[in-house]
Amino acid sequence: MVSQKSRLYLALYARSGAGEPYHWALIVGPKDEAQGAQGKRYHIKNQIDPETGRERWVYEEFDVPMQPTGMLLVRILIAKVEKPNRLGQLLSRVTLVQDDTDWNCKNWVKDSLRALEEDGKSLGTAQTDWAYVQQMAYWYVDLKKSQKRFDGTG
């Protein structure tokens, strides 16, 4: 019998500004992506705290279409998802490091993959080794850049 388990993807989005050139997030979506298929995006973002006026990291999860969007550069398969509800609960509890300018969304993805690996129940077959995942993500986005995927000429 063919598995119909959802899949966990690493997603790199275009972003502007200095520092890390991509916004890193995780997406859970169906194995078979029919027209109109929906998934769920898990990520963190900076938000201004209205009380202090300072930036702080906040966690978000929301439904997204599985079809490519203008800001999504690449999506890379990481794992089969065994328990999507458990995965979502676990990701919502990954520590957000505030007041550290070196910590960002990429660090959150790294910490999230470690937490999922340590959990041992949310994921099935998976590649969660951070060094490998990060290397493949940069390699794949560079490959797509060299193929002119993002400039409208490829």
Side-chain angles (χ1 to χ4, degrees):
M1 182 174 179
V2 176
S3 172
Q4 292 300 316
K5 293 181 177 103
S6 293
R7 303 303 195 240
L8 176 66
Y9 300 93
L10 169 65
L12 297 185
Y13 292 86
R15 69 179 286 275
S16 59
E20 173 60 38
Y22 310 109
H23 175 68
W24 296 63
L26 297 170
I27 295 176
V28 171
K31 175 184 178 182
D32 297 320
E33 296 179 23
Q35 183 68 25
Q38 289 286 113
K40 189 169 289 278
R41 177 173 155 182
Y42 302 89
H43 78 133
I44 63 167
K45 68 176 189 174
N46 277 117
Q47 189 174 54
I48 301 295
D49 184 330
E51 294 180 19
T52 66
R54 296 176 60 190
E55 282 189 353
R56 64 185 178 104
W57 290 106
V58 294
Y59 168 82
E60 288 187 331
E61 64 179 73
F62 51 89
D63 293 336
V64 294
M66 292 304 291
Q67 281 68 42
T69 64
M71 298 299 285
L72 177 63
L73 299 174
V74 296
R75 188 177 65 173
I76 301 159
L77 178 62
I78 300 289
K80 291 181 181 177
V81 177
E82 293 288 333
K83 298 183 178 183
N85 291 337
R86 184 180 182 95
L87 179 142
Q89 290 170 357
L90 193 129
L91 293 178
S92 72
R93 294 191 307 262
V94 172
T95 301
L96 304 181
V97 177
Q98 307 293 347
D99 301 319
D100 179 350
T101 57
D102 293 328
W103 197 85
N104 59 26
C105 56
K106 183 168 82 170
N107 298 101
W108 179 83
V109 168
K110 176 183 178 181
D111 295 346
S112 296
L113 291 180
R114 182 181 317 117
L116 290 169
E117 183 176 17
E118 290 172 358
D119 170 59
K121 297 178 184 173
S122 299
L123 302 179
T125 305
Q127 175 53 264
T128 57
D129 175 78
W130 178 247
Y132 181 80
V133 168
Q134 179 180 239
Q135 178 185 13
M136 293 309 298
Y138 283 128
W139 171 83
Y140 190 58
V141 78
D142 287 345
L143 174 68
K144 294 303 176 181
K145 280 182 185 177
S146 73
Q147 295 171 343
K148 306 204 180 290
R149 175 178 178 184
F150 310 126
D151 66 6
T153 64

